[in-house]
Amino acid sequence: MSNTMNFLKRIFLVDILKGLAVTFRYTFKSVYTEQYPKEKPKLAERYKGAPRLNNDPETGETLCIACDLCAQICPEDLIVVGSQRDPESRKKVLTHYTFDTSRCLFCGLCQEVCPTNAIELTQDFELATYSRSSMLWDRERLEKGWDRIEFGKNYHK
Amino acid sequence: MIENLIIYFLIPFIKIGAIVLILSGAIAYLTLLERKLIAHIQVRLGPMRVGWHGLLQPIADGLKFVLKEDIVPSKADALIFTLAPMISLIPAFVVFSVVPFGPPGMFEGLLRGILSRFLESASVERIVSNPIASGGFVTDINIAVLFVLSVSSVGILGVILGGWASNSKYPLLGALRSSAQMVSYEVAMGFAIISVLLYAGSLSLVEIVQQQQAGGWWYFFIQPVAFFLLLVCGMAETNRLPFDLPEAETELVGGFHTEYSGFRFSLFFLAEYANMITVSALAVTLFWGGWLPPFPNVPWLGFLGIIPPVAWFLIKVFLILYLFIWVRGTLPRFRFDQLMNYGWKVFLPIALGHVILYAAILAI
Amino acid sequence: MNTLEESTVLDTKVLEMNMGPQHPSTHGVLRVKLKLDGEKVVDAECIIGYLHRGIEKISENRSYIECVPYYDRTDYIAAVANVYGFLLGVEKMMGIEVPERGRYIRIMMVEFNRIASHLLWLATHAIDIGAMTVFLYCFREREEILKLFEALFGARLTTHAFRVGGLWKDLPPGFEQAAHKFLDEFPARVDEYEQLLTHNRIWLARTKGIGVISGKEAIQWGLTGPPLRGSGVDYDLRKARPYGGYEEFEFDVPLGENGDTYDRYVARIEEMRQSRLIIQQVLKRLPGGPVRGKAPKIVKPPAGEYYSGTESPRGELGYYIVSDGSAQPFRVKIRPPTFIGLQALRRLVKGHLMADVIAIIGTLDIVLGEVDR
């Protein structure tokens, strides 16, 4: 009996018709994909994207205390922190900060070790540029967002 | 004199021009249809950027093909390399000269209206009464089926030559595969058609459709197996999945057209889709009653006649094309030896047995 | 008469063909030098190294914490499982205890990664054989898993999933619901793949009896993971040498019989279902508490050697860590499952047709990042 059934199933291409039924059902289902440049994806809170150097929202001063921990933990050694001791208050003051995004692994170790949450990896992910040199971010770019400076765009905030 | 010029020269030229133009457009939009349909099968949207829902995409693609750099590999046989895409494309178009889109006498009213302004009524009637001038086809020859089969197999030469002239290993393998595949499936396809011919008793495609009208049944209902065979062999002939071995992109990169780019590639591309339309049109004409509505002689279905015959033809062709695309979106690909096995050991015996069976039935 | 016979037989030559490194279905930059007689494979030679980045050497110049993100990039399809294997070794060397919640979440994410990896394998394997719709369906489900990764780890592919002593952060809000939703829908989706492939006569014709290898021979070639289990050898490190708490969960190890491409396919499909069961058990029993145990800021394992073997989606993934007592490993030797599995390719493809080479490369589930490191 089952042999006959199997034979009939083979003759009438049941296996193939089943497959066709699956694809036919999907033809009229709603699509899954996003229309990327038009629709921006909603990234998770924790997404490790473009770096940012945070300022204190009240005073507008940088949160970075130039402790150099991020530069030390970075596997690629791509962070360079420049500091100077303030002769009066004897505190370390940040002079410059560069972040080489061309070599970044986006592992997030820098933001983990940062004691003041100054360096942070944000949800921005559109990091493509036209030149290698523009992948080296200086302190201004890190604080203001790079594409605002590069192209005058302001669609992130 | 002038009537003959009009009948055998002017009107066919206008029809041919119209067919070439319409067919090119149809092919272009068939590519879009395929991309869209496959995309929706795969829960995505397909081309969306150029025009509303990508409606201008074929035009953009065509422009891109034309504007691309024309590359001939330095070790290729330049003459044959250039010739191959044309050999592939031209037969695909030529076949349409015998495919009937509408019934004979379809353009009678139109012709009479136009010609009566320029000619006296006697010669107008002579022109209009000529079936070739007023029919919904370029020409009606009494060996149309043979013509279709022979011309479409010339197109294979283009594939073989293109693969060979590229002087590269992947295209060579693709060309070898296609020559074997197309030759072997042509045989089964021929036998599938023969059973229809036995029934209709004519080789003219117009005549075959008229026979279906007279009989009141599409041949599909009489010979479903032959229809299935024609469809499967048609898929193999036109290199569609699951038989797209000559251009199996995951095995042979691009198959026979690996080395082609730009405009020449687009000719191969056009040829493939033109062949798809040819096979669909042939299947519709032979099995689905061409321009006829379903069950043409059933009185209470007469209201279906308000849809013009050409529209019926196009709807049916579209359905078969849809099937082609749908199958492509579902099935995996055969292996080369399995394909040959199926061709010679399954389809050919079935087709042969089918022909013998029907011959016996008809004889009795 | 002999001369006549000889003259009618045309001389044929073996065609030497390069498949890859730029070929749509060599899964990256594998180059296979094929010797073809017609379409029949006479011989095949794998040429690897196009993606070599020297990750083992890089590890020697980084601290234990710093070199973790690099192991994401060996087998980037199963990044979570790779990091897991290394960290297990480091934690064992230092005697660090991971809190129970951390342990459970780790197992859950590794199993999610196993599903994602197998989905990618199925997708590419199917499209290699021509079924392109399965490709996109698999990617849709994989996308759901990657979204979970993104929510928890902050990255989708190279996740830098775990830290020494546990996880970076606890599960984000809504994670468990999303995971449950995925797990509830998943079996129906797998059934759909099976409807499209498992019983399809073309798929059967393309996979049954292709690349057959017996269990004994598979062991001799050093195959591990699904290629080994497809040949009927019951060897899964999660069962054979449990680590990280796998002994607490119930699951089956699916085995094949014939050792052909189809059996390996079935084994992997079943493994996805088993992984789902493990995740459901984890979610059911997920305890509270911290996810990260006490771990020193600077990781300095005592001098010595340790081999950490885990069952990555591709097979036995080994990290042989040699410490000289400093903060940087003296040597890290990775045992990549597919690098060792790839050597069997030559044995598997001999005598098959060219189209089967693609199927066999697919069934070995190689990742060139791991093969070349």
Side-chain angles (χ1 to χ4, degrees):
Chain A
M1 185 59 207
S2 74
N3 269 345
T4 344
M5 275 305 285
N6 282 342
F7 181 70
L8 284 178
K9 274 185 182 169
R10 263 193 89 71
I11 290 269
F12 288 103
L13 307 166
V14 172
D15 50 334
I16 285 170
L17 290 179
K18 269 187 183 167
L20 285 171
V22 171
T23 44
F24 187 72
R25 272 204 303 279
Y26 270 109
T27 314
F28 305 103
K29 278 196 184 166
S30 58
V31 293
Y32 184 81
T33 47
E34 295 161 344
Q35 294 294 301
Y36 159 59
K38 281 188 196 162
E39 274 174 53
K40 297 277 167 182
K42 259 195 185 161
L43 293 180
E45 179 83 28
R46 293 181 187 176
Y47 189 80
K48 294 178 285 200
R52 186 174 68 205
L53 201 55
N54 287 331
N55 289 331
D56 190 329
E58 283 163 26
T59 58
E61 302 234 335
T62 182
L63 282 171
C64 182
I65 53 170
C67 63
D68 208 33
L69 276 176
C70 48
Q72 281 170 23
I73 197 84
C74 182
E76 282 288 327
D77 293 337
L78 51 81
I79 300 174
V80 177
V81 182
S83 63
Q84 211 173 30
R85 227 168 249 293
D86 192 336
E88 285 170 26
S89 63
R90 307 291 295 153
K91 269 166 92 182
K92 259 187 174 178
V93 179
L94 185 69
T95 51
H96 67 271
Y97 193 109
T98 60
F99 192 110
D100 187 353
T101 53
S102 65
R103 280 157 55 210
C104 185
L105 297 170
F106 298 99
C107 61
L109 282 171
C110 49
Q111 64 174 357
E112 271 171 62
V113 295
C114 186
T116 59
N117 286 335
I119 184 78
E120 189 189 338
L121 297 181
T122 62
Q123 277 97 314
D124 294 353
F125 60 94
E126 289 157 317
L127 299 175
T129 64
Y130 290 106
S131 66
R132 287 190 181 205
S133 59
S134 61
M135 288 177 167
L136 188 70
W137 294 17
D138 54 13
R139 188 176 161 187
E140 191 195 4
R141 275 196 198 168
L142 284 165
E143 284 177 348
K144 290 181 181 163
W146 72 284
D147 45 355
R148 206 174 318 174
I149 294 164
E150 194 90 330
F151 303 119
K153 277 187 203 160
N154 192 15
Y155 49 71
H156 292 122
K157 290 275 143 23
Chain B
M1 179 60 205
I2 185 103
E3 296 108 354
N4 281 348
L5 261 183
I6 289 175
I7 293 171
Y8 296 112
F9 213 72
L10 185 64
I11 295 175
F13 257 78
I14 292 171
K15 280 182 181 169
I16 289 169
I19 284 178
V20 167
L21 276 181
I22 293 170
L23 200 61
S24 310
I27 291 165
Y29 276 86
L30 181 61
T31 62
L32 181 69
L33 175 79
E34 169 156 35
R35 290 172 70 179
K36 278 291 197 188
L37 258 177
I38 293 241
H40 278 274
I41 283 173
Q42 297 168 345
V43 286
R44 54 193 179 89
L45 279 171
M48 285 293 281
R49 293 288 143 69
V50 192
W52 185 78
H53 276 251
L55 269 182
L56 300 178
Q57 186 72 40
I59 296 164
D61 284 346
L63 262 177
K64 185 195 77 178
F65 278 137
V66 174
L67 295 177
K68 273 208 164 175
E69 189 188 347
D70 183 25
I71 300 167
V72 179
S74 57
K75 291 277 171 62
D77 188 327
L79 177 68
I80 300 177
F81 190 82
T82 323
L83 216 59
M86 301 179 202
I87 295 177
S88 184
L89 181 67
I90 292 169
F93 276 80
V94 168
V95 166
F96 276 87
S97 57
V98 294
V99 173
F101 299 90
M106 183 176 129
F107 296 120
E108 254 181 40
L110 187 72
L111 274 181
R112 194 172 283 136
I114 296 172
L115 290 179
S116 56
R117 292 188 195 171
F118 308 107
L119 298 170
E120 51 200 70
S121 64
S123 53
V124 168
E125 281 311 312
R126 242 196 89 197
I127 292 170
V128 167
S129 61
N130 187 306
I132 290 173
S134 61
F137 36 80
V138 176
T139 179
D140 174 24
I141 51 179
N142 53 7
I143 51 158
V145 175
L146 289 181
F147 180 79
V148 169
L149 284 178
S150 53
V151 170
S152 65
S153 45
V154 172
I156 302 164
L157 276 179
V159 171
I160 298 168
L161 289 178
W164 183 79
S166 301
N167 199 3
S168 167
K169 286 170 186 172
Y170 284 108
L172 182 66
L173 279 177
L176 289 176
R177 281 179 174 194
S178 68
S179 49
Q181 170 183 342
M182 292 179 171
V183 166
S184 53
Y185 274 79
E186 193 114 302
V187 179
M189 190 172 177
F191 276 108
I193 293 174
I194 282 178
S195 54
V196 171
L197 302 184
L198 281 175
Y199 215 86
S202 168
L203 278 166
S204 149
L205 289 172
V206 178
E207 181 79 20
I208 288 172
V209 176
Q210 281 167 339
Q211 288 282 342
Q212 295 183 54
Q213 189 165 22
W217 291 89
W218 294 355
Y219 285 160
F220 170 70
F221 298 108
I222 300 166
Q223 302 177 329
V225 177
F227 172 72
F228 173 74
L229 281 173
L230 178 72
L231 212 59
V232 172
C233 297
M235 277 177 197
E237 287 272 295
T238 51
N239 300 334
R240 302 282 306 170
L241 257 164
F243 307 103
D244 68 337
L245 296 166
E247 44 188 304
E249 71 263 27
T250 50
E251 291 157 26
L252 297 182
V253 190
F256 64 88
H257 60 60
T258 306
E259 301 289 346
Y260 280 87
S261 62
F263 190 62
R264 287 186 227 283
F265 169 74
S266 79
L267 293 185
F268 270 129
F269 199 67
L270 284 177
E272 186 189 326
Y273 282 86
N275 281 329
M276 253 172 90
I277 297 180
T278 312
V279 169
S280 309
L282 193 64
V284 163
T285 315
L286 292 177
F287 290 97
W288 281 11
W291 63 81
L292 302 175
F295 306 106
N297 293 349
V298 179
W300 57 269
L301 278 173
F303 67 90
L304 289 171
I306 46 170
I307 301 176
V310 178
W312 274 117
F313 181 80
L314 294 179
I315 290 168
K316 291 178 205 167
V317 169
F318 170 81
L319 282 179
I320 292 190
L321 288 173
Y322 178 86
L323 187 73
F324 272 42
I325 296 168
W326 182 17
V327 166
R328 183 182 172 209
T330 309
L331 294 183
R333 180 183 300 120
F334 273 113
R335 206 174 58 203
F336 179 62
D337 59 324
Q338 292 161 353
L339 178 94
M340 298 301 280
N341 274 349
Y342 266 87
W344 290 106
K345 294 185 188 163
V346 179
F347 294 130
L348 188 61
I350 291 178
L352 259 173
H354 192 260
V355 169
I356 292 169
L357 188 76
Y358 270 90
I361 290 173
L362 286 177
I364 295 164
Chain C
M1 289 311 277
N2 272 345
T3 48
L4 182 71
E5 208 164 85
E6 273 164 24
S7 64
T8 49
V9 176
L10 285 171
D11 195 23
T12 55
K13 257 203 252 174
V14 171
L15 179 72
E16 196 167 295
M17 190 151 85
N18 271 310
M19 195 185 251
Q22 282 112 3
H23 187 278
S25 35
T26 50
H27 293 214
V29 284
L30 173 67
R31 178 171 156 215
V32 188
K33 236 179 175 173
L34 290 172
K35 289 208 172 95
L36 299 175
D37 176 14
E39 287 225 9
K40 203 167 197 170
V41 179
V42 181
D43 197 8
E45 187 189 345
C46 289
I47 297 161
I48 58 168
Y50 291 93
L51 200 59
H52 178 66
R53 292 147 299 171
I55 284 179
E56 289 176 359
K57 191 71 191 167
I58 288 175
S59 311
E60 292 171 20
N61 302 312
R62 304 281 190 276
S63 77
Y64 283 93
I65 294 173
E66 284 172 16
C67 63
V68 173
Y70 290 95
Y71 301 130
D72 280 341
R73 286 155 178 80
T74 54
D75 180 355
Y76 38 79
I77 310 294
V80 181
N82 273 256
V83 167
Y84 185 57
F86 177 72
L87 288 179
L88 279 181
V90 172
E91 283 157 8
K92 206 62 162 218
M93 288 173 95
M94 298 192 53
I96 297 172
E97 276 293 313
V98 181
E100 197 162 41
R101 186 176 171 82
R103 246 176 354 106
Y104 273 48
I105 293 177
R106 278 186 176 189
I107 286 178
M108 173 168 73
M109 296 323 285
V110 169
E111 291 306 316
F112 264 130
N113 197 189
R114 191 182 310 278
I115 296 179
S117 166
H118 281 354
L119 280 172
L120 191 102
W121 156 80
L122 179 60
T124 48
H125 192 35
I127 204 168
D128 286 350
I129 297 185
M132 61 171 162
T133 300
V134 179
F135 179 79
L136 280 125
Y137 292 169
C138 288
F139 264 68
R140 178 187 52 179
E141 269 73 77
R142 183 166 173 267
E143 177 71 21
E144 292 295 321
I145 296 178
L146 294 188
K147 274 181 186 161
L148 293 176
F149 283 178
E150 189 188 310
L152 177 58
F153 304 136
R156 292 158 52 88
L157 197 69
T158 49
T159 48
H160 193 201
F162 309 130
R163 308 291 189 269
V164 177
L167 275 91
W168 170 35
K169 279 179 181 173
D170 203 345
L171 298 179
F175 182 91
E176 284 178 51
Q177 287 92 309
H180 273 301
K181 188 166 167 280
F182 171 76
L183 293 175
D184 291 342
E185 287 172 2
F186 188 59
R189 297 285 163 82
V190 179
D191 289 346
E192 274 173 7
Y193 313 148
E194 291 220 76
Q195 264 194 18
L196 283 170
L197 300 177
T198 307
H199 307 295
N200 189 300
R201 67 186 69 190
I202 304 174
W203 180 263
L204 289 175
R206 286 298 305 273
T207 54
K208 279 221 165 169
I210 304 300
V212 182
I213 190 163
S214 70
K216 196 180 162 199
E217 218 177 333
I219 294 172
Q220 284 169 350
W221 279 105
L223 291 178
T224 47
L228 179 67
R229 293 194 286 273
S231 302
V233 181
D234 188 359
Y235 180 70
D236 186 325
L237 281 177
R238 292 174 294 172
K239 289 268 194 203
R241 218 178 327 136
Y243 54 88
Y246 266 105
E247 62 276 13
E248 296 165 37
F249 303 103
E250 277 176 30
F251 60 96
D252 293 334
V253 179
L255 297 177
E257 283 169 17
N258 308 322
D260 57 5
T261 301
Y262 180 75
D263 278 17
R264 290 187 278 269
Y265 156 79
V266 172
R268 283 202 180 92
I269 291 263
E270 193 51 36
E271 240 171 65
M272 287 200 271
R273 294 210 169 97
Q274 294 299 330
S275 290
R276 171 179 166 270
L277 292 182
I278 297 176
I279 299 168
Q280 278 184 329
Q281 291 172 45
V282 170
L283 283 170
K284 213 170 172 186
R285 293 196 229 154
L286 197 62
V291 292
R292 192 166 186 177
K294 275 218 162 75
K297 276 269 157 60
I298 297 167
V299 179
K300 274 190 182 174
E305 300 170 4
Y306 188 77
Y307 175 79
S308 142
T310 54
E311 184 75 24
S312 100
R314 270 155 255 288
E316 176 172 352
L317 171 72
Y319 283 96
Y320 184 67
I321 308 165
V322 183
S323 167
D324 56 358
S326 68
Q328 293 178 348
F330 180 74
R331 173 87 170 92
V332 177
K333 168 78 181 81
I334 306 170
R335 182 212 186 271
T338 55
F339 170 64
I340 291 161
L342 190 59
Q343 62 180 339
L345 182 74
R346 185 182 202 163
R347 148 78 182 74
L348 290 174
V349 299
K350 256 186 204 172
H352 283 301
L353 294 178
M354 198 196 140
D356 296 328
V357 177
I358 303 295
I360 292 169
I361 290 175
T363 190
L364 287 174
D365 194 15
I366 51 166
V367 170
L368 265 293
E370 185 180 70
V371 173
D372 295 343
R373 298 192 297 296

